[in-house]
């Protein structure tokens, strides 16, 4: 995603914002900066890039606090993410056995109508562990339906 954002930046590395375009892209991705903070991007010559960037960032606005950006169109409903989820595995016996959790189970991820969804993102270890953030659901997703930003 960072690379996709970078493609729409001027890529001049002018450092008028105090950093390189790649660093600026990372801050756009995290939501810590906005495109308006890039002086070069405000020039008329970059109007098309600004519009494309606005679309990308609008889609990122839907990301969860835990950083999960789930594309339901890419999800095959395989459930691998449920099994590898650190919280699910530690707290849900069904997930630990490689099965999907019961509908009443308190879990981070679950499959609903054949697609993964965040059941309770507040349980995600990404929110609980500031250092060494878990990326297992993203790393094991065979269709790249889960992106952590």
């Amino acid at each position: 995603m960072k690379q996709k954002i970078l493609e729409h930046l001027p890529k001049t590395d002018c450092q008028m914002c105090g950093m390189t375009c790649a660093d600026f892209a990372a801050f756009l991705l995290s939501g810590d900066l906005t495109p308006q903070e890039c002086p070069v991007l405000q020039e008329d010559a970059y109007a098309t890039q600004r519009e494309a960037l606005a679309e990308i960032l609008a889609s990122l606005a839907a990301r969860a606090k835990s950083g999960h950006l789930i594309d339901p169109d890419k999800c095959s409903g395989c459930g691998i993410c449920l099994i590898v989820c650190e919280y699910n595995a530690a707290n849900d016996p069904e997930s630990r056995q490689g099965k999907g959790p019961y509908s009443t189970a308190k879990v981070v991820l679950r499959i609903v109508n054949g697609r993964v969804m965040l059941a309770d993102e507040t349980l995600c270890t990404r929110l609980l562990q500031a250092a060494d953030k878990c990326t297992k659901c993203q790393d094991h997703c065979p269709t790249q339906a889960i992106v952590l930003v």
Side-chain angles (χ1 to χ4, degrees), residues 31-45:
D32 292 327
L33 290 178
T34 65
Q36 290 75 24
E37 295 173 86
C38 172
V40 177
L41 190 61
Q42 306 316 308
E43 296 174 7
D44 291 341

Side-chain angles (χ1 to χ4, degrees), residues 23-103:
D23 292 340
F24 190 82
F27 280 104
L28 288 177
L29 181 61
S30 68
D32 292 327
L33 290 178
T34 65
Q36 290 75 24
E37 295 173 86
C38 172
V40 177
L41 190 61
Q42 306 316 308
E43 296 174 7
D44 291 341
Y46 294 102
T48 304
Q49 287 95 326
R50 279 195 312 269
E51 289 177 22
L53 202 51
E55 286 183 30
I56 293 168
L57 296 175
S59 70
L60 289 176
R63 68 182 167 236
K65 288 180 185 175
S66 57
H68 286 84
L69 189 60
I70 299 173
D71 185 343
D73 294 334
K74 288 184 177 179
C75 180
S76 66
C78 69
I80 292 173
C81 54
L82 305 182
I83 298 165
V84 299
C85 171
E86 286 185 4
Y87 183 88
N88 285 13
N91 297 287
D92 179 57
E94 297 297 316
S95 295
R96 197 170 26 253
Q97 294 174 12
K99 302 175 183 175
Y102 289 120
S103 61

Side-chain angles (χ1 to χ4, degrees), residues 77-136:
C78 69
I80 292 173
C81 54
L82 305 182
I83 298 165
V84 299
C85 171
E86 286 185 4
Y87 183 88
N88 285 13
N91 297 287
D92 179 57
E94 297 297 316
S95 295
R96 197 170 26 253
Q97 294 174 12
K99 302 175 183 175
Y102 289 120
S103 61
T104 57
K106 194 172 178 178
V107 292
V108 176
L109 298 165
R110 84 173 55 251
I111 301 293
V112 176
N113 296 327
R115 302 288 185 255
V116 67
M117 64 167 282
L118 281 168
D120 187 348
E121 76 168 307
T122 63
L123 302 175
C124 179
T125 57
R126 290 180 57 79
L127 291 177
L128 303 174
Q129 299 171 349
D132 193 26
K133 294 190 181 241
C134 177
T135 60
K136 290 181 178 176

